[in-house]
Amino acid sequence: MSERPEPLLELKQQVSCSIDGAADRLHRLSRDIWSRPELAYRETEAHERLAAFFSEEGGWTVERRFKLDTAFRARWRSGGGGERRAAVTVGFLCEYDALPGIGHACGHNLIAEVGAAAAVGLRAALEDAARGSLPPPVTPLVTVLGTPAEEEGGGKIDLLKEGAFEGLDVVFMAHPSQEDALFLPCVAVHDVIIKYHGKASHASAYPWEGVNALDAAVLCYSSLSALRQQMKPDWRVHGIIKHGGEKPNIIPAFTQLEYYLRAPCRAELSVLKEKAEGCFRAAAVATGCTVEIEFAKNEYANMLRFGTLEELYRRNGECLGMEFTTDEDLLKNQSGSTDFGNVTFELPGIHPFFYIGSKALNHTEEYTAAAGDDAAQFFTLRTAKALAMTALDLLLRPELLQKVKQEFSQAKLAEEK
């Protein structure tokens, strides 16, 4: 007769069994979100679908329109323990906004599914633990936050400002990619719109009466291109001219550009913004135009790392068959940006990346197809299991959570220096 597994291992097996048992419901959830893509702050159907999912699961306290119209919060609390044990709240984050024109080309339907699945799996294990197999030394609370508008606007930053993350001890989410990775460098970014105002005139009959806003836009674009020679190798400035005039025979009275400014950390981004703003204003002075500079309301921060969380996730993932990339070029090369970075400046969290069965690149039509393919389900649920198991480690071993919190304090201090 085989020996009975250790209690913690049994609970992790319960995580897997519970998620597998909910696989059909979770797949339908993901497919419904994927088939009806919605843009930032307008994810009404995805929001309602997720809120309904937790309401139908039973046992969850669901708050629709939590702080934002398309955000929600679902909470579950373990019974027993009373006031004798400290409460620890773990959070799983769901994203569900899509990209214009190409739908869920970043796989946010799978991010939503991972968050929901991990919460379902962790709850099942904690209910089993409460029945006596391994009572947690703390009172566990599980929270799921629906966080809209990651692709544009920064919904998590809005929620941070509204206090939506207060009371959470640690947060978890995972992002689809081309490989399993504990961490990929996500950099700080700030979007900016530049508007030049000139004066219209007939471009052939009396051009001297005009003030050419297109010249200002072109000078701005060229100045930023020239600035790249003096930029650090890991700074990024990329943009487009969104409006260049009305007709060739009219001196353009108005032009508009949109740029993304990126740097490895918030401090360097501040320096880059100052240099870029000099280019914006110089183009106006050189052409006699006036300029409006409109930075987006939210600046995305870089993402802080927490070694204990990464190591726990690595161990759990490898037990489930994950093979994490060791490609140094990939691991050192900056990727995109995410509003989850701002969250890591307020509380510890982990944001690993996961393979979905395709080598297609994010933000392409091919990735949209891959995110909706049945083949992605195995990898998505495997990721949810690893996240839930990592949360379980923290809840059953409070010394690990304390270590994570110490790393958080150290990481913030290092960033400030």
Side-chain angles (χ1 to χ4, degrees):
M1 185 174 179
S2 61
E3 292 186 7
R4 185 177 178 180
E6 294 181 4
L8 179 56
L9 181 57
E10 282 189 339
L11 292 176
K12 289 184 177 182
Q13 290 172 344
Q14 180 61 40
V15 167
S16 288
C17 290
S18 178
I19 290 175
D20 287 339
D24 289 343
R25 301 197 305 278
L26 291 162
H27 189 188
R28 288 195 297 272
L29 171 68
S30 175
R31 188 72 187 184
D32 287 348
I33 295 171
W34 179 87
S35 63
R36 291 187 286 272
E38 299 166 297
L39 301 182
Y41 298 111
R42 290 181 275 170
E43 316 95 324
T44 53
E45 291 191 48
H47 163 267
E48 286 302 315
R49 183 67 176 84
L50 279 156
F53 175 87
F54 283 100
S55 294
E56 292 163 6
E57 285 290 299
W60 294 88
T61 301
V62 180
E63 297 168 83
R64 288 172 160 84
R65 294 169 182 80
F66 179 66
K67 308 294 186 180
L68 302 176
D69 285 345
T70 55
F72 73 90
R73 181 170 71 175
R75 293 189 292 176
W76 174 85
R77 182 187 182 100
S78 175
E83 299 299 321
R84 292 171 296 167
R85 298 180 296 177
V88 174
T89 304
V90 298
F92 297 103
L93 308 187
C94 297
E95 295 177 2
Y96 33 89
D97 59 325
L99 289 159
I102 52 175
H104 280 288
C106 214
H108 287 194
N109 60 302
L110 301 179
I111 296 177
E113 183 180 2
V114 165
V120 167
L122 180 60
R123 171 189 170 178
L126 291 173
E127 287 177 333
D128 194 35
R131 288 191 287 267
S133 61
L134 185 62
V138 298
T139 299
L141 289 83
V142 181
T143 294
V144 182
L145 278 181
T147 61
E150 189 277 337
E151 292 290 356
E152 182 178 2
K156 294 183 192 64
I157 305 170
D158 295 331
L159 289 169
L160 283 167
K161 293 175 180 177
E162 293 293 326
F165 286 83
E166 291 177 5
L168 293 176
D169 290 283
V170 60
V171 289
F172 302 83
M173 66 170 288
H175 198 293
S177 185
Q178 293 76 47
E179 58 283 303
D180 288 308
L182 295 173
F183 179 88
L184 294 177
C186 289
V187 298
V189 64
H190 208 173
D191 307 356
V192 59
I193 291 174
I194 310 102
K195 299 177 181 178
Y196 291 105
H197 299 274
K199 179 183 177 184
S201 181
H202 196 291
S204 177
Y206 29 87
W208 55 87
E209 293 293 336
V211 178
N212 197 320
L214 181 57
D215 283 345
V218 171
L219 273 176
C220 173
Y221 189 95
S222 299
S223 297
L224 289 167
S225 296
L227 177 64
R228 287 190 175 92
Q229 186 178 14
Q230 275 69 50
M231 283 169 42
K232 291 185 177 182
D234 46 10
W235 291 3
R236 297 289 183 271
V237 173
H238 41 99
I240 58 171
I241 298 176
K242 294 193 74 171
H243 186 81
E246 303 297 338
K247 289 186 67 178
N249 64 348
I250 303 173
I251 298 292
F254 172 78
T255 53
Q256 179 176 317
L257 303 93
E258 183 174 1
Y259 269 87
Y260 291 178
L261 310 178
R262 302 184 197 256
C265 63
R266 294 193 295 187
E268 290 192 24
L269 180 59
S270 178
V271 176
L272 176 57
K273 285 166 60 176
E274 184 179 354
K275 291 179 180 291
E277 192 166 339
C279 294
F280 305 157
R281 297 192 185 281
V285 171
T287 57
C289 292
T290 59
V291 62
E292 293 180 74
I293 301 170
E294 299 175 357
F295 280 97
K297 64 174 180 175
N298 290 326
E299 175 183 304
Y300 286 29
N302 51 298
M303 191 156 59
L304 302 183
R305 300 184 68 173
F306 308 104
T308 298
L309 283 176
E310 290 184 14
E311 178 60 18
L312 291 172
Y313 181 78
R314 182 189 65 77
R315 292 178 185 175
N316 288 312
E318 288 178 347
C319 287
L320 293 166
M322 290 184 186
E323 296 181 2
F324 293 99
T325 183
T326 57
D327 184 340
E328 287 298 318
D329 289 338
L330 178 68
L331 295 172
K332 291 180 179 178
N333 185 44
Q334 65 183 32
S335 56
S337 305
T338 171
D339 54 1
F340 187 83
N342 300 68
V343 176
T344 65
F345 278 81
E346 300 299 326
L347 70 157
I350 189 171
H351 181 287
F353 294 80
F354 65 99
Y355 176 65
I356 66 169
S358 171
K359 287 295 184 180
L361 298 176
N362 296 61
H363 290 215
T364 65
E365 293 179 352
E366 292 78 12
Y367 208 83
T368 302
D373 196 288
D374 291 351
Q377 287 302 296
F378 169 79
F379 304 102
T380 301
L381 297 185
R382 182 173 69 173
T383 300
K385 294 172 185 178
L387 285 182
M389 291 175 182
T390 302
L392 192 62
D393 285 326
L394 297 180
L395 290 168
L396 295 179
R397 298 179 60 189
E399 72 276 10
L400 291 177
L401 180 58
Q402 283 304 116
K403 189 175 180 182
V404 169
K405 291 184 174 183
Q406 289 172 1
E407 291 173 353
F408 168 70
S409 298
Q410 293 165 358
K412 279 194 69 174
L413 182 62
E415 190 75 16
E416 290 168 1
K417 289 183 178 179

